[in-house]
Amino acid sequence: MTSANHQNTKRNPVAYDRREAAIERFSVQEDLRSLVVPVFDTAPTDRFAEVTLKSVESVLGHHLTPQDTVVACSTPEVAALYEALGFTIALVEADPAAAATPERPWDVLLRLAGGDPGWREQAHPATLDVYDRYRLEEQISLVVNDPVVGDEGGLTATRDYRTYAEAFEASAARKWDLVKRHVRPGRIVDVGCGAGAVLGLADREPALRESDLIGVEVARHLYEECVHRKAQGWFANPNVYFYCRNVLGGAVFPPRSIDTTLTFALTHEIWSYGHRMDSLRAFAQAIYDHTVPGGVWINSDVCGPDNRERRVRLSLQGAPAPAGPIDSLDRAAIAAHVESLSTRARLDRFAADFHFPVPYKDLDDPADPGAVEIALSDAMEFLTHKDYPDNWLSEAHEQFCGLEFADWKALLADIGFEVDPASHSWRNDWIVEHRISPYAQLSTLDGRELAWPDTHVLLVARRPLNT
């Protein structure tokens, strides 16, 4: 069974164990004998057939040969790999003799996802039994129809999740120190938990040893790392659970069931990949609904500066440079290209690739050739994005400065939360010192120097006891 580890992806929305159960039940009902072997997904390779054969041998202890095996495969490129090794191919639904077959399996799955009950007429009773018992029809519909998550179970195809996991690990202690005094014991959920690093720190808190620790992660790669860590004994608390879910797809938890919700660097993604304020409001409402009276939502994220639309002068090192298309380049080539650009040329590159408009104009100042007039929020948008060449096109999907602190307070109050006085916006001085000030200067349009604005927000929002 290939792609056995691709559950919750549009390509293979059903987990391996459920697929195996359906095959085994089919075998019993049809009086057949089956041996099911998981073959985990690999990077593209012209040795895929050999990898599969070795996987089978490692599980069954038997080496398949052209003399004892026929390969049933409807994908021409894959079939060719087995043919090159001497195997006979049964083309199944790709066989011209099967041209009268009305639908391929993928067509049936799309009918299921589209809500057409006619898919059940094309499925074997063994499949129907497993799907009904484990409510797989609902899960498949959610995954296939998800407007945000891509085919491989992540937000974008250009994201390097290894880099992200490492970044989560490096910042986990700082994040936990920022929020731990506001955490209410009970059922604690980290939405967008990454590889589980913050929950790992919560796990070590004596005051939380009786709490349930729950991680929700949309990216399949990171979710699988969470599950692996739990299996390896990374958590001492037995009440640790993980869900691979997209919170934009609907409620994950019942109403009034969660004491503390944690979100780190998540809400700007909801804003960016969803429908901006509509999606963010829906998310905030979902958090409010699942929070117990007196419970708390703690949100730490980037934010826009106060007075976002103010026009400012941004002086950058270097000179402008045309930004040609780079979509055909691989991630390493894009990173090398971005690294080679001056800060001013990188602004042109950013404006071309960013999924939100970034209007600016050159000031044509011979004494300051890299100077532009730009909105304050757009200036900070660029300056806080410019140092991610390894994930350049992925980061280009994400708007950091969509809301300022006042916008956040208004939204939370409108939903019904009480905003704790501990909430505040703040400036990450390390970023300013190391990534911004050495390469840029900010001033008014008439040349008066401006201090760098706030870059982040901490929000502590409580559901009132009487609601």
Side-chain angles (χ1 to χ4, degrees):
M1 187 180 297
T2 56
S3 300
N5 58 335
H6 261 209
Q7 69 270 17
N8 290 303
T9 69
K10 292 184 179 181
R11 188 150 63 96
N12 280 306
V14 180
Y16 163 73
D17 56 341
R18 304 303 185 216
R19 295 158 66 192
E20 181 185 31
I23 293 171
E24 297 285 12
R25 187 162 182 78
F26 168 83
S27 299
V28 171
Q29 289 185 226
E30 296 298 329
D31 196 24
L32 300 169
R33 287 182 60 79
S34 63
L35 295 168
V36 184
V37 175
V39 179
F40 298 128
D41 193 51
T42 62
T45 173
D46 57 6
R47 301 183 63 190
F48 178 73
E50 297 171 50
V51 170
T52 303
L53 295 173
K54 290 177 181 178
S55 297
V56 172
E57 185 174 6
S58 69
V59 173
L60 302 182
H62 176 71
H63 179 67
L64 303 180
T65 70
Q67 287 70 45
D68 64 12
T69 304
V70 172
V71 177
C73 180
S74 62
T75 305
E77 296 83 0
V78 176
L81 298 177
Y82 286 101
E83 282 186 305
L85 297 178
F87 287 90
T88 300
I89 307 298
L91 293 174
V92 287
E93 70 266 19
D95 191 333
T101 302
E103 292 176 297
R104 294 165 60 94
W106 181 250
D107 298 320
V108 178
L109 184 138
L110 290 180
R111 287 179 63 182
L112 182 161
D116 180 359
W119 77 270
R120 302 178 70 88
E121 300 172 6
Q122 302 293 329
H124 191 276
T127 297
L128 296 176
D129 175 61
V130 173
Y131 276 39
D132 289 343
R133 280 190 288 138
Y134 292 102
R135 300 173 60 185
L136 297 180
E137 187 172 357
E138 177 183 345
Q139 176 189 338
I140 291 170
S141 295
L142 285 173
V143 172
V144 174
N145 295 316
D146 195 306
V148 176
V149 179
D151 291 348
E152 303 304 321
L155 291 175
T156 73
T158 56
R159 176 168 287 185
D160 179 354
Y161 283 101
R162 178 187 57 79
T163 301
Y164 270 72
E166 291 172 354
F168 292 153
E169 297 296 309
S171 62
R174 173 180 56 80
K175 291 174 180 176
W176 181 242
D177 286 342
L178 181 68
V179 306
K180 63 182 180 181
R181 67 187 180 94
H182 304 295
V183 171
R184 169 175 163 151
R187 300 192 78 209
I188 301 168
V189 175
D190 184 358
V191 181
C193 65
V198 170
L199 286 180
L201 295 172
D203 177 64
R204 301 172 195 169
E205 291 286 338
L208 303 179
R209 65 179 180 273
E210 300 296 329
S211 295
D212 290 352
L213 304 179
I214 305 166
V216 180
E217 177 54 54
V218 65
R220 177 179 58 84
H221 313 71
L222 299 177
Y223 163 76
E224 289 175 353
E225 179 59 23
C226 292
V227 174
H228 176 256
R229 284 180 161 179
K230 181 179 178 181
Q232 295 297 310
W234 209 62
F235 298 93
N237 187 336
N239 297 309
V240 177
Y241 311 94
F242 293 101
Y243 296 86
C244 189
R245 297 284 190 277
N246 174 17
V247 292
L248 295 183
V252 177
F253 302 102
R256 302 184 177 206
S257 65
I258 302 300
D259 293 278
T260 299
T261 302
L262 303 172
T263 52
F264 298 99
L266 173 72
T267 50
H268 77 274
E269 292 191 341
I270 292 172
W271 169 280
S272 302
Y273 292 99
H275 300 287
R276 301 200 189 185
M277 184 58 84
D278 288 344
S279 295
L280 196 56
R281 176 178 289 276
F283 176 71
Q285 184 66 58
I287 298 295
Y288 181 88
D289 291 343
H290 80 212
T291 300
V292 301
V296 61
W297 173 23
I298 307 169
N299 179 32
S300 174
D301 205 349
V302 291
C303 77
D306 292 342
N307 197 7
R308 296 172 56 252
E309 302 304 320
R310 179 183 183 182
R311 306 298 293 180
V312 296
R313 179 189 183 104
L314 181 66
S315 300
L316 302 171
Q317 292 182 354
I326 59 173
D327 290 347
S328 62
L329 303 179
D330 62 23
R331 186 186 292 123
I334 292 173
H337 170 66
V338 173
E339 289 272 20
S340 71
L341 299 175
S342 70
T343 309
R344 175 62 188 85
R346 204 173 291 195
L347 173 63
D348 295 323
R349 178 77 268 160
F350 178 72
D353 300 327
F354 196 47
H355 283 226
F356 303 85
V358 184
Y360 59 92
K361 67 176 183 179
D362 286 298
L363 292 178
D364 298 322
D365 183 349
D368 189 4
V372 298
E373 178 184 333
I374 190 170
L376 179 58
S377 62
D378 291 333
M380 296 307 296
E381 202 76 66
F382 164 64
L383 292 171
T384 51
H385 275 85
K386 70 178 181 62
D387 293 290
Y388 294 101
D390 289 343
N391 284 289
W392 184 257
L393 292 184
S394 176
E395 291 292 337
H397 288 80
E398 300 186 11
Q399 188 173 30
F400 295 171
C401 301
L403 295 180
E404 58 187 82
F405 184 44
D407 299 326
W408 267 113
K409 290 191 293 184
L411 172 62
L412 294 173
D414 194 44
I415 294 293
F417 282 108
E418 294 177 345
V419 180
D420 190 284
S423 303
H424 64 282
S425 60
W426 57 284
R427 188 178 72 188
N428 187 319
D429 287 330
W430 186 93
I431 290 177
V432 171
E433 179 182 352
H434 293 89
R435 295 183 174 177
I436 297 179
S437 289
Y439 309 100
Q441 292 80 45
L442 186 68
S443 59
T444 63
L445 293 179
D446 59 6
R448 288 180 290 111
E449 184 177 355
L450 292 172
W452 295 109
D454 289 341
T455 56
H456 290 72
V457 66
L458 172 67
L459 296 158
V460 181
R462 304 184 187 279
R463 178 166 178 165
L465 285 169
N466 60 351
T467 59

